[in-house]
Every structure is written in C-alpha cells, then in structure tokens.
Amino acid sequence: MQSVSTPTSFVTFTQSQFDFPAIYQKKFSKNFLPPIPFYLSRLSRKCSVPRHPRGCFATSNWNDRVIDPSFDGISFGIEVKTCTWNWKGYSIRYQCSGSTGPAIVMVHGFGANSDHWRKNIPVLAQSHRVFAIDLIGYGYSDKPNPREFGDTSFYTFETWGNQLNDFCNDVVRDKAFFICNSIGGVVGLQAAVMEPAICRGIVLLNISLRMLHITKQPWYGKPLIRSFQNLLRNTDLGKFFYSSVAKPASVKNILSQCYHDTSEVTDELVEKILLPGLEPGAVDVFLEFICYSGGPLPEDLLPQVKCPVLIGWGDKDPWEPIELGREYAKFDAVEDFVVISNVGHCPQDEAPQLVNPLVESFVARHANVTQAS
C-alpha cells in the first residue's frame, strides 16, 4: 500500500458508524463507555488516479491514483422519480433514475434517508439504473411501532437485509451493486450474505464499526449500558432527549461535527435530514435502534460475503477511528481500501465529485465479469 501526502486538490474517503442524528460529541476517556451510539469509524488509504472527463478512473490500479475534485456532475437535467413500494403491507419510499446500464441500489445510514444521495443519483444515472431506498423506519417509509412486535426485535439488520433483497427482486428486478453509507453498510453486507445471488458488489462508505455492540464492552460496562438503554426506551427521558435533538440548530450542529467541510452543511441538508424525523413514529424507531446493541458486526459478515467489496473511508470522520477501519482491508472479499482525504463521515454528500467516479469505476470493473457469471 502506497502512502502519499494529500495536496489540497485531493480528497480521501471514509467509513463510519452511525448516520443521523448523531447524539452528542464529547471527549471520552479510554475507560468511559458512552451511553448511546455516536458516529464511529473510518478507513483510510491514500491513493490517486487520473480521471477521464466523464468521471471514470483511467486505471483500476488504486495504488497510484489521483482524483480530480473539480469534477462536478450534479446538474445534468436527469429526472429523478420518487415512488412508493408496498413491502409486506408497509409503504416504502424510494427514488430512481436512469434507464440503461447496471443497477445500483444506495442504502443510507442511521437517521438519514434516500435524499442523502441527491448529489449522486443524477450523476450515476447517466450510465446506470440508480435506486435509493428509505429503509423501513426511516425517511418517508412507514415507521411501525417496535412495541407492536412484542419481545421480537423488528428494527434489525436482518429486517433491513430482507427489505433490500426483496426490493431488488420486486422493484429493480435484477442483480444490483449496493452503495452504502454508515450502518447502511452493515445492511448491505447482511443482504449479500442472506442472498448472495442478488448482490454483484458492494461499496462501503464509512461503514459502522458498531463500537457499542455488547460484545465490544468490558464486563463491568454491560450492566450500565443495559440500564441506560432501558431508561431511554421505557421512560420519558428518551423522548425528551429526542425532542432536544430533533431541532434545526441541533441537527446542524451534529452535521457540522461529522462534515469536515462545514460549508456543505446547508439549510437544505438540515431540512432533508430533520423533516422525516418529525414524522409520527420516528422517535420510537430512533430509541429502538440506539438500544440495539446486538446483531452482526462487519467483521462477522465480511468473511461470508462472496461478491467484491470496496471500502472508502474519509480520514476526517471524528467519530470512527480510521485505524480500526483499516482492519477490514484484511478480509479476502475486500479488494481495496480507499482513503478519502479531508472528508468526514458522509463522503457521498460532502465530496460527491470524489465518490461518484469511485463508484462508477468499481461498477465498470465488475459489471461484465459478474454479468457473465
């Protein structure tokens, strides 16, 4: 792996933990266990690649690549449709664009929705069939109350993995490449493990390290975490906490922490993230997930994945240490680990001029091979 300095004309990529809304940011001592999930995770590797005018990389050799951040392909006049899909009786919102080329399905992170891909969809739709889905419980998809399912957890990676695979079968009607951010990366991996024939390849942007997973806690911290989770879920404290977070100023502050370039934290972005979180049922989904400390870890799923995986990690993600993320590059399925310089937790939105050609290059490398197989 070649290490190069990153001039101002370069950017690096990142992988992370949770998406939105992040809780609060503090400096924690090594032995202190944060009571609720916050963004954690980053992967990193410096590289460069000459880019063609359309945004494709001139070579697939990532050891010596330069990415031109001047590429801007957001305004193409390509129609992006907003649709709904009935999944098991629930209304699921998704966006789609493009009519030719390989299928791409984009999966958002915690607290986000398909609008978080608004800078990627019309660009990639020039030569791909692009879909972006609101996971059940998020965005403008239905938000069933988790208490309706009794002791059975509903908002799990298995649920979302099933949703993603069914979406490919029912709506996309084809195999697809998954492009995922934060916890969406765990969803994509889970779906690929459950139905290997559906996923042609995965790009993981800031995948969640899930540092609050119960197995990653010392024995003395587990009872504290359980107690705090019960307090949030079963008392008014949780809803009070959510009401303090679900405000424009709070969301903007959170986003300004996880975006390295805070000029990208616009009023439009704040609105895209906040408004779905004000819908009925959103608070219950939020509290349910931040109390979800079980389920699979990326390191559990990566050894089972059969398709090629590319990991991108922004090196300025303040919540997920890139040093831990680098460990994922050791898995056989991971063909490359790309560092996105001077970019935070959500590179697809903060630096789409870097992520779009990265995705386009990855899909181009594997579309013909996987199609033939």
Side-chain angles (χ1 to χ4, degrees):
M1 180 185 302
Q2 180 179 357
S3 177
V4 298
S5 61
T6 306
T8 55
S9 61
F10 291 17
V11 177
T12 38
F13 305 20
T14 165
Q15 185 175 355
S16 98
Q17 177 188 6
F18 302 110
D19 264 347
F20 304 113
I23 313 311
Y24 55 82
Q25 175 78 12
K26 269 184 153 183
K27 295 292 183 182
F28 296 108
S29 68
K30 190 172 183 180
N31 296 321
F32 181 82
L33 295 174
I36 40 190
F38 56 99
Y39 298 134
L40 317 140
S41 149
R42 290 185 305 184
L43 285 165
S44 164
R45 159 173 159 197
K46 301 192 175 178
C47 40
S48 53
V49 165
R51 186 186 52 76
H52 287 305
R54 277 191 80 311
C56 297
F57 293 111
T59 174
S60 60
N61 179 8
W62 288 97
N63 287 326
D64 185 22
R65 67 181 156 227
V66 177
I67 303 172
D68 179 4
S70 66
F71 175 68
D72 180 6
I74 297 173
S75 302
F76 288 105
I78 294 178
E79 181 184 12
V80 178
K81 298 178 181 178
T82 298
C83 310
T84 57
W85 164 55
N86 186 303
W87 181 61
K88 299 185 177 182
Y90 299 112
S91 177
I92 303 299
R93 177 242 203 172
Y94 69 93
Q95 300 182 56
C96 61
S97 187
S99 58
T100 61
I104 291 175
V105 179
M106 297 173 163
V107 188
H108 63 79
F110 174 58
N113 59 81
S114 59
D115 287 333
H116 214 195
W117 302 98
R118 69 198 185 284
K119 299 177 183 179
N120 317 103
I121 298 172
V123 179
L124 295 172
Q126 294 180 102
S127 53
H128 305 80
R129 290 170 291 139
V130 183
F131 302 82
I133 189 171
D134 287 5
L135 296 174
I136 190 166
Y138 293 108
Y140 295 98
S141 290
D142 279 350
K143 302 169 180 62
N145 192 318
R147 297 181 184 276
E148 295 176 1
F149 301 91
D151 295 332
T152 302
S153 297
F154 180 73
Y155 293 105
T156 66
F157 292 111
E158 289 78 9
T159 296
W160 291 315
N162 275 318
Q163 179 190 358
L164 184 55
N165 285 331
D166 288 347
F167 181 77
C168 290
N169 286 327
D170 296 350
V171 178
V172 180
R173 298 185 180 181
D174 197 358
K175 299 177 181 179
F177 290 91
F178 298 160
I179 316 301
C180 314
N181 176 229
S182 194
I183 65 151
V186 186
V187 174
L189 290 175
Q190 179 69 64
V193 168
M194 295 169 75
E195 296 287 347
I198 291 176
C199 184
R200 303 176 68 180
I202 308 176
V203 175
L204 301 173
L205 301 170
N206 295 44
I207 187 173
S208 170
L209 293 170
R210 303 207 63 207
M211 294 302 292
L212 289 184
H213 194 279
I214 197 66
T215 61
K216 294 189 175 184
Q217 310 310 319
W219 64 268
Y220 56 83
K222 293 178 182 180
L224 288 174
I225 290 178
R226 295 291 193 197
S227 297
F228 192 82
Q229 288 173 336
N230 288 332
L231 188 66
L232 286 177
R233 184 190 287 123
N234 299 318
T235 71
D236 290 337
L237 177 64
K239 292 185 177 180
F240 173 79
F241 171 75
Y242 186 81
S243 66
S244 68
V245 171
K247 295 179 179 179
S250 297
V251 172
K252 186 169 186 176
N253 179 59
I254 291 165
L255 292 170
S256 295
Q257 293 174 24
C258 70
Y259 278 57
H260 180 63
D261 181 0
T262 56
S263 69
E264 295 297 329
V265 182
T266 62
D267 290 342
E268 179 204 15
L269 175 62
V270 171
E271 182 180 85
K272 296 292 187 185
I273 298 300
L274 175 60
L275 290 186
L278 300 178
E279 292 208 323
V283 60
D284 298 304
V285 177
F286 173 85
L287 295 175
E288 185 72 10
F289 186 78
I290 66 173
C291 295
Y292 176 41
S293 55
L297 294 164
E299 52 264 41
D300 299 328
L301 297 170
L302 279 167
Q304 305 177 60
V305 172
K306 306 302 182 184
C307 63
V309 176
L310 174 68
I311 296 176
W313 213 289
D315 66 351
K316 299 302 182 183
D317 187 328
W319 291 301
E320 308 241 22
I322 192 168
E323 294 76 14
L324 296 179
R326 288 180 187 274
E327 293 298 310
Y328 292 151
K330 298 178 181 179
F331 290 96
D332 291 342
V334 179
E335 69 173 30
D336 214 334
F337 183 87
V338 181
V339 176
I340 309 171
S341 260
N342 299 318
V343 175
H345 181 70
C346 308
Q348 80 279 7
D349 187 65
E350 185 178 344
Q353 73 277 8
L354 300 175
V355 172
N356 291 334
L358 178 69
V359 171
E360 196 169 29
S361 176
F362 175 78
V363 172
R365 288 201 302 274
H366 296 288
N368 292 334
V369 175
T370 52
Q371 185 69 43
S373 60

